[in-house]
Amino acid sequence: MADVHMGSESETFAFQAEINQLLSLIIYTFYSNKEIFLRELISNAFDALDKIRFEGLTDNSKLDAQPELFIRIIPDKANRSLSIVDSGIGMTKVDLVNKLGTISRSGTKEFMEALQAGADVSMIGQFGVGFYSAYLVAEKVIVTTKHNDDDLYVWESQAGGSFTVTRDVGGEPLGRGTKITLFLKEDQRRIKDLVKKHSEFISYPIYLWTEKTTEKEVSDDEDEETKKGEEGDVEDVDEDKEKKSKKKKVKESLTNDWEEHLAVKHFSVEGQLEFKAILFVPKRAPFDLFDTRKKLNNIKLYVRRNKILKVIRKNLVKKCIEMFFEIAENKEDYTKFYEAFSKNIKLGVHDDSQNRAKLADLLRYFSSKSGDEMTSLKEYVTRMKEGQKDIYYITGESKKAVENSPFLEKLKKKGYEVLFMVDAIDEYAVGQLKEYDRKKLVSATKEGLKLDEESEEEKKKKEEKKQSFENLCKTIKEILGDRVEKVVVSDRIVNSPCCLVTGEYGWTANMERIMKAQALRDNSMSACMSSNKTMEINPDNGIMEELRKRAEVDKNDKSVKDLVLLLYETALLTSGFSLDDPNTFAERIHRMLKLGSSIDEDETAAADDVDMPSLEEESNEESKMEEVD
């Protein structure tokens, strides 16, 4: 099995071939995250403590040699060594030989293959060979161990292909357990930080030996008072304060966030799967919360069964949502929370179909009736008009951009409340939410907007208006061509002359703006999802009435064409779209200004302008541009 050399009760063994290959990989390959060695050794110590604790439940005498269960970390600066001592179950001589060198574990080969395929060395614990990570930082390792059923033995190796096992007769009394001593390479440091980072939730006490020297000059009187104080003072410990302090330290070690948290929830789950968890909600979101290049530095959980992860995830999400609702009970706290994490809530609405309804209750929006306060969907529903079936919303770039939108004119007039969704992610979230409390969410900027049932008289008037503007609709469509799909008489605008609406199932103007801003956008998808625009005209607007009269006299009048193009371009802007050619729009405005100011057109500029119709006054009085109130 192995080469054995007897001498002074010391035996030499050769490493099994695959283990020897693994050690060569670990020693001679550069790994940036060598620090994981401490996590693996503490994890092994934890397992050993668990085993002896379990044996002690049925036979209490197993704990007699060392009743206290602990892990101690002892750095020795002078000898440049680090020792990890545990009072766990320990190892027999056979365990030392088999587990630490001569019998290859099933995971050894798999881990080497994973490493060669580019896997991270931090995965070593998943393959059951975490002990060998010690050689990431050590040039020599000594393992001293005592099992209840055997003598004290010492395992030693510099990973040169072999190791020795010696029975230690006169060595330090260990009682029971294992001491692993690493003789470190020159570049190792930060032991305390590593313990905090990787072993925060170990359920046995971890003691780190440190040196601390302080110098203080005291008089004889002060020295006497200090001695009296040391003899007589008893400090009261506030247990609640102590628990809060421990939770705060856990959060700080994991996140490097030293600010007081907004909320915390500590709970345990019992049943087929048992675990404990602490959830923190910080007061502000990390500046790099959505930075995909950020290297995660949080708890890492290694399990072989995905079912366990699913159960843990489900319970954590459930408790998180509970905590968010608890925060929402305090309006001031929830305002801070929502300012920091509203995007995360909306991402949850988009991604998590199982919890979408619960998360919808956490959403907050400004509205046409909420003023400077944000409102919830639940509050919106309680204020709905009698007979109102839908929840109305509008998306846009900012609150200021949407609150005076022409799309809201009819809705406001009839007393309907409209939600302002002005965060870019709202477009994605509302696309998945679709309804709340069995009420459909309806966009004010899309086709299919239906308000109150109209009386017969209102329907008759509407039909008459449609007929009188039918020819103008055709004329506008001829002038605009493929820019719009159709031109219809609107029943959603009251004051504005016209607006541009999109199809019910395509992108809104705001979504089109968002997609155009994507650096890696797919132009073919944009062409597919961009809705054909429908121009809705207001028959009660003075500009449209005047345009109708001019078109009836001569639909080929240059002023008619120019007015239509100008109305279309202004409608693009007021409806949230961007101009394809801002220069042409600016030229058109300049021509209008010149005409209104009776400034003659520059003959050269007029001759060079081929595509744009002139606004020069014709000799025919009927074709002159007139001021319209």
Side-chain angles (χ1 to χ4, degrees):
M1 178 179 69
D3 297 330
V4 181
H5 304 281
M6 300 297 296
S8 303
E9 297 191 38
S10 178
E11 302 174 62
T12 302
F13 299 83
F15 280 116
Q16 197 270 347
E18 287 183 350
I19 294 176
N20 206 30
Q21 290 173 26
L22 173 62
L23 287 171
S24 296
L25 270 175
I26 290 173
I27 293 169
Y28 298 113
T29 307
F30 175 76
Y31 296 108
S32 59
N33 55 340
K34 296 179 180 180
E35 61 190 36
I36 56 97
F37 83 94
L38 194 57
R39 178 192 71 195
E40 297 301 329
L41 297 182
I42 291 176
S43 178
N44 289 347
F46 172 78
D47 291 341
L49 289 166
D50 252 7
K51 287 177 182 177
I52 194 63
R53 183 180 66 85
F54 182 75
E55 287 191 2
L57 293 175
T58 54
D59 183 0
N60 198 46
S61 65
K62 296 279 188 180
L63 298 172
D64 289 347
Q66 178 54 266
E68 185 186 358
L69 301 180
F70 60 80
I71 300 172
R72 290 185 180 137
I73 300 173
I74 307 169
D76 185 344
K77 192 173 181 181
N79 295 315
R80 210 168 69 241
S81 69
L82 177 70
S83 298
I84 297 95
V85 185
D86 70 72
S87 56
I89 195 166
M91 286 182 281
T92 64
K93 177 185 175 183
V94 173
D95 290 336
L96 276 177
V97 174
N98 291 342
K99 292 183 179 179
L100 302 187
T102 62
I103 296 181
S104 173
R105 296 200 174 195
S106 60
T108 309
K109 185 176 181 181
E110 286 86 345
F111 178 61
M112 285 193 295
E113 289 173 353
L115 275 182
Q116 289 165 347
D120 196 300
V121 72
S122 64
M123 296 171 64
I124 191 169
Q126 298 181 57
F127 295 87
V129 287
F131 167 76
Y132 300 110
S133 65
Y135 287 97
L136 287 167
V137 296
E139 54 193 13
K140 182 171 77 171
V141 178
I142 296 177
V143 180
T144 307
T145 186
K146 173 70 174 70
H147 191 280
N148 283 330
D149 299 334
D150 207 344
D151 295 329
L152 184 70
Y153 281 91
V154 178
W155 179 102
E156 182 176 338
S157 178
Q158 291 181 315
S162 63
F163 61 92
T164 62
V165 176
T166 308
R167 188 165 70 91
D168 192 348
V169 180
E172 59 180 306
L174 200 58
R176 184 199 66 250
T178 301
K179 177 182 179 181
I180 301 175
T181 303
L182 312 180
F183 292 88
L184 303 174
K185 299 170 185 176
E186 293 185 1
D187 60 343
Q188 312 309 321
R189 58 193 183 282
R190 301 182 293 113
I191 301 300
K192 186 175 181 180
D193 292 340
L194 297 183
V195 174
K196 282 188 174 183
K197 179 177 180 180
H198 292 300
S199 308
E200 190 71 56
F201 293 102
I202 294 294
S203 54
Y204 297 102
I206 300 176
Y207 303 101
L208 175 63
W209 289 19
T210 58
E211 293 181 1
K212 187 175 181 181
T213 305
T214 56
E215 294 183 3
K216 184 179 179 182
E217 290 186 11
V218 294
S219 64
D220 292 340
D221 293 337
E222 287 175 332
D223 190 31
E224 195 66 33
E225 287 177 9
T226 302
K227 287 180 181 177
K228 287 180 181 178
E230 288 174 351
E231 291 171 2
D233 291 347
V234 177
E235 184 180 356
D236 293 328
V237 177
D238 187 333
E239 290 188 8
D240 289 339
K241 191 174 181 181
E242 187 73 14
K243 287 180 180 177
K244 288 181 180 177
S245 176
K246 285 182 179 179
K247 289 177 183 177
K248 188 170 183 286
K249 287 178 181 177
V250 170
K251 183 203 69 168
E252 289 171 354
S253 67
L254 292 174
T255 65
N256 293 325
D257 180 8
W258 309 103
E259 190 177 19
E260 187 68 28
H261 49 263
L262 184 64
V264 62
K265 195 174 190 71
H266 188 192
F267 66 95
S268 60
V269 173
E270 297 178 353
Q272 290 183 340
L273 175 67
E274 296 184 8
F275 69 90
K276 295 179 181 179
I278 306 177
L279 302 174
F280 295 95
V281 175
K283 285 186 177 178
R284 69 188 75 209
F287 71 94
D288 54 357
L289 179 62
F290 296 106
D291 186 355
T292 55
R293 298 167 298 174
K294 178 184 177 183
K295 184 179 179 182
L296 296 178
N297 184 29
N298 44 19
I299 301 171
K300 298 168 183 65
L301 178 65
Y302 301 111
V303 295
R304 293 185 182 274
R305 294 167 59 194
N306 286 330
K307 186 179 179 182
I308 294 175
L309 283 175
K310 288 178 181 177
V311 173
I312 293 175
R313 178 187 179 278
K314 184 178 179 181
N315 281 277
L316 290 178
V317 171
K318 179 183 175 183
K319 291 297 181 181
C320 282
I321 294 174
E322 284 180 13
M323 183 162 55
F324 299 157
F325 277 101
E326 289 168 7
I327 298 172
E329 292 173 5
N330 184 307
K331 191 174 181 180
E332 185 178 345
D333 285 348
Y334 194 71
T335 299
K336 293 177 183 176
F337 168 78
Y338 200 74
E339 284 177 358
F341 299 105
S342 61
K343 285 183 172 62
N344 301 78
I345 297 294
K346 291 167 184 176
L347 274 174
V349 170
H350 181 271
D351 295 339
D352 191 351
S353 58
Q354 189 175 356
N355 294 294
R356 187 169 292 146
K358 291 179 183 177
L359 292 171
D361 283 320
L362 295 167
L363 296 172
R364 299 291 185 271
Y365 299 105
F366 290 107
S367 79
S368 55
K369 291 187 177 180
S370 68
D372 294 330
E373 298 278 329
M374 298 187 93
T375 186
S376 67
L377 291 171
K378 189 174 183 180
E379 291 168 337
Y380 178 99
V381 170
T382 61
R383 295 194 295 265
M384 285 174 65
K385 285 181 63 178
E386 187 178 349
Q388 182 180 343
K389 298 177 182 178
D390 301 324
I391 296 172
Y392 300 110
Y393 71 90
I394 183 172
T395 57
E397 192 170 359
S398 65
K399 181 187 174 187
K400 191 173 182 181
V402 299
E403 60 187 354
N404 294 315
S405 171
F407 296 113
L408 307 186
E409 292 173 358
K410 193 68 170 281
L411 289 162
K412 285 182 179 179
K413 186 177 181 181
K414 286 186 170 286
Y416 291 112
E417 184 174 8
V418 183
L419 297 173
F420 300 155
M421 298 188 179
V422 294
D423 195 346
I425 200 171
D426 287 331
E427 286 280 1
Y428 299 92
V430 77
Q432 294 297 324
L433 187 58
K434 301 203 182 289
E435 65 174 38
Y436 175 82
D437 194 19
R438 291 175 293 181
K439 293 173 176 59
K440 187 179 177 183
L441 271 71
V442 175
S443 172
T445 68
K446 290 187 174 184
E447 286 182 318
L449 182 67
K450 295 178 182 178
L451 303 178
D452 298 337
E453 289 291 329
E454 298 174 327
S455 64
E456 289 299 323
E457 187 177 346
E458 287 175 330
K459 286 181 181 178
K460 187 178 179 181
K461 285 183 178 179
K462 184 178 176 182
E463 195 59 37
E464 290 174 355
K465 289 281 187 183
K466 279 186 178 180
Q467 289 179 1
S468 63
F469 277 81
E470 187 176 351
N471 289 332
L472 178 61
C473 289
K474 290 178 181 177
T475 301
I476 294 174
K477 170 60 179 163
E478 288 173 6
I479 294 171
L480 295 179
D482 293 336
R483 294 183 181 94
V484 295
E485 184 181 20
K486 56 186 174 181
V487 181
V488 298
V489 173
S490 177
D491 58 358
R492 79 175 77 208
I493 49 179
V494 177
N495 302 316
S496 302
C498 60
C499 66
L500 293 168
V501 301
T502 55
E504 188 174 355
Y505 301 105
W507 285 344
T508 62
N510 188 54
M511 188 64 171
E512 196 171 302
R513 175 186 64 82
I514 293 168
M515 296 308 293
K516 281 184 178 180
Q518 302 300 314
L520 302 175
R521 67 181 183 274
D522 183 353
N523 290 326
S524 61
M525 183 183 177
S526 299
C528 176
M529 292 300 296
S530 294
S531 287
N532 292 323
K533 303 174 184 67
T534 297
M535 188 175 196
E536 293 188 0
I537 64 173
N538 180 6
D540 299 319
N541 182 270
I543 295 175
M544 299 311 297
E545 178 62 28
E546 179 64 23
L547 186 59
R548 183 184 68 81
K549 291 177 182 177
R550 288 172 179 265
E552 284 180 355
V553 174
D554 183 5
K555 68 177 184 179
N556 296 317
D557 190 310
K558 291 182 180 180
S559 63
V560 170
K561 185 178 180 181
D562 214 66
L563 264 177
V564 168
L565 291 170
L566 189 59
L567 285 168
Y568 169 75
E569 288 166 342
T570 53
L572 277 173
L573 295 175
T574 57
S575 301
F577 294 97
S578 58
L579 293 171
D580 292 331
D581 188 357
N583 291 327
T584 302
F585 176 70
E587 277 294 321
R588 209 178 304 281
I589 294 295
H590 295 159
R591 286 168 180 264
M592 294 289 288
L593 290 172
K594 287 178 181 180
L595 181 61
S597 304
S598 301
I599 300 173
D600 291 335
E601 286 283 348
D602 182 83
E603 292 180 3
T604 306
D608 291 341
D609 186 7
V610 179
D611 297 329
M612 186 173 301
S614 173
L615 289 176
E616 291 182 352
E617 292 183 61
E618 300 288 333
S619 57
N620 189 341
E621 289 295 323
E622 290 180 344
S623 66
K624 288 185 178 180
M625 292 294 294
E626 297 177 0
E627 183 179 54
V628 180
D629 294 330

